[in-house]
Amino acid sequence: MASHHIKAVQANLLYMLPDSLHETTKPYYIAGIPPAGRKQSNETFVPKETEIINARWNERKFSIKENGFQWVNCPFKSAVESVDDCQKYMRYMEEFLKEHLNAEQVYAYEYVIRQQREHGVSLQARDRRETKRTIHTAHLDITPRCATDKVRSYLPPEEAERLLQSNWQIVNAWRPLVDVVKSQPLAVCHSASLREKDLIACDMIYPHVTTEIFHVLHNPNQKWYFLREQKQDEVLLMRNYGPNGALGVAHTAFNDPTSEPEAQARRSIELRCFVSYSLNGNSKMVEDTTGREVLEHD
């Protein structure tokens, strides 16, 4: 069936299960081998059938200001495989985002390459070091506390404080590294349909650092979207953190029930970028649909 004929799919998304344990113990996940006597995680997730609307019908109506996300056309024909390739891509996207968002400065501070693979299937040695699995739990990458920690971690002290005193946000740029996404697309949640009570802060514990993310509780009022058969030139921009603590966009990979069994495995790259805006430029402060102030920059 042609992609434009499918208005929505019904698919299972994984949501965090409410647990009385979390009233006294913060949810966590330990990356790597946990210390003796401690579990890998105290989190539990449950699948819920969810309607995910195909944005292909009208993808141009979405904007970071109104929805928290948008798809933009941004061709990039060079390879994105080696570390040098990725560094060049980060610089390219910084310039693109600076122009597209009418920003004063954009700094891509990290990237992640994700490769779809089944549990128990190993990758080549290089991919084991540089590539992560697709994520199948509804989540937000960054909490407000984590956002300021990221700024102070990646920028020199003087630059960090300058950014934190400006109009700024964190934007995620998500691009397929296959010609067309036909398996495990990315679903995103309309920011106005997500409530703070739907979120649980969780620690991600790595050997060198602990970060904080939000997992999502199921709420039937949430509105989920995806761009069916997203092409490599169609980049998804998501707000990870907005001005005055505005929430980022919940997202997750999912198994599209209309995908062909032999569909090519999904591979993608995401950049996380600090974006600052001039106080005297064309950007201005407006109210978004969640009641928080956000920058108008479309």
Side-chain angles (χ1 to χ4, degrees):
M1 183 179 291
S3 64
H4 62 275
H5 288 161
I6 297 178
K7 290 188 175 181
V9 298
Q10 297 289 330
N12 280 330
L13 299 186
L14 285 175
Y15 298 90
M16 176 166 272
L17 185 67
D19 192 329
S20 58
L21 169 69
H22 299 151
E23 295 175 6
T24 56
T25 305
K26 188 175 181 181
Y28 71 86
Y29 175 82
I30 298 174
I33 301 174
R38 193 175 188 191
K39 296 196 302 183
Q40 191 99 46
S41 175
N42 64 352
E43 303 167 340
T44 304
F45 298 92
V46 60
K48 294 284 187 179
E49 187 172 80
T50 303
E51 181 184 58
I52 309 172
I53 299 168
N54 179 13
R56 184 64 74 186
W57 286 81
N58 193 8
E59 66 261 37
R60 293 186 180 180
K61 79 171 186 178
F62 297 94
S63 69
I64 292 180
K65 181 186 76 173
E66 297 295 336
N67 311 97
F69 59 87
Q70 66 182 123
W71 289 272
V72 296
N73 186 61
C74 178
F76 186 77
K77 300 304 181 185
S78 301
V80 185
E81 294 294 337
S82 69
V83 173
D84 284 346
D85 291 341
C86 291
Q87 292 295 326
K88 291 176 183 176
Y89 176 64
M90 292 169 79
R91 303 293 83 79
Y92 173 85
M93 288 302 297
E94 286 174 344
E95 291 303 313
F96 173 84
L97 291 173
K98 185 176 180 179
E99 180 177 354
H100 179 76
L101 299 176
N102 192 26
E104 184 175 53
Q105 188 173 7
V106 177
Y107 175 65
Y109 64 88
E110 66 183 7
Y111 71 89
V112 180
I113 293 177
R114 298 196 185 278
Q115 171 73 51
Q116 174 188 343
R117 63 190 192 272
E118 301 301 325
H119 287 287
V121 177
S122 297
L123 293 177
Q124 296 178 357
R126 180 182 66 84
D127 280 343
R128 283 200 300 271
R129 291 193 305 270
E130 301 175 5
T131 307
K132 298 183 178 181
R133 293 183 185 272
T134 53
I135 303 298
H136 285 258
T137 54
H139 68 282
L140 285 73
D141 291 332
I142 295 172
T143 66
R145 180 179 68 80
C146 181
T148 54
D149 288 347
K150 291 282 187 184
V151 171
R152 292 192 170 104
S153 173
Y154 280 92
L155 296 179
E158 192 171 306
E159 290 184 32
E161 294 309 313
R162 186 182 304 119
L163 177 65
L164 293 173
Q165 296 303 315
S166 72
N167 295 332
W168 70 286
Q169 61 182 355
I170 299 177
V171 172
N172 184 321
W174 190 95
R175 180 192 295 271
L177 292 180
V178 293
D179 290 337
V180 180
V181 175
K182 294 191 174 181
S183 180
Q184 293 192 8
L186 195 71
V188 288
C189 184
H190 192 309
S191 60
S193 72
L194 191 67
R195 299 292 179 253
E196 289 191 18
K197 66 180 182 180
D198 299 337
L199 304 176
I200 297 182
C202 307
D203 282 340
M204 297 290 291
I205 303 171
Y206 299 93
H208 61 291
V209 67
T210 296
T211 64
E212 188 178 61
I213 69 170
F214 282 127
H215 281 306
V216 181
L217 302 175
H218 178 255
N219 184 329
N221 294 322
Q222 294 163 1
K223 300 295 184 185
W224 290 87
Y225 296 85
F226 79 117
L227 190 64
R228 183 168 170 80
E229 297 188 355
Q230 183 176 345
K231 300 177 178 62
Q232 192 171 117
D233 290 349
E234 295 173 324
V235 176
L236 171 63
L237 304 181
M238 295 181 282
R239 183 176 65 217
N240 265 6
Y241 172 81
N244 297 328
L247 293 175
V249 170
H251 54 282
T252 178
F254 72 98
N255 291 315
D256 182 352
T258 67
S259 293
E260 298 293 336
E262 66 277 9
Q264 181 183 11
R266 190 254 277 179
R267 187 175 173 90
S268 58
I269 184 170
E270 58 191 87
L271 303 185
R272 293 161 189 164
C273 308
F274 301 133
V275 182
S276 63
Y277 302 90
S278 171
L279 290 173
N280 301 315
N282 294 327
S283 298
K284 61 181 180 180
M285 301 298 290
V286 298
E287 291 292 322
D288 77 353
T289 50
T290 65
R292 292 187 175 86
E293 288 187 323
V294 296
L295 284 165
E296 183 175 42
H297 53 250
D298 299 327

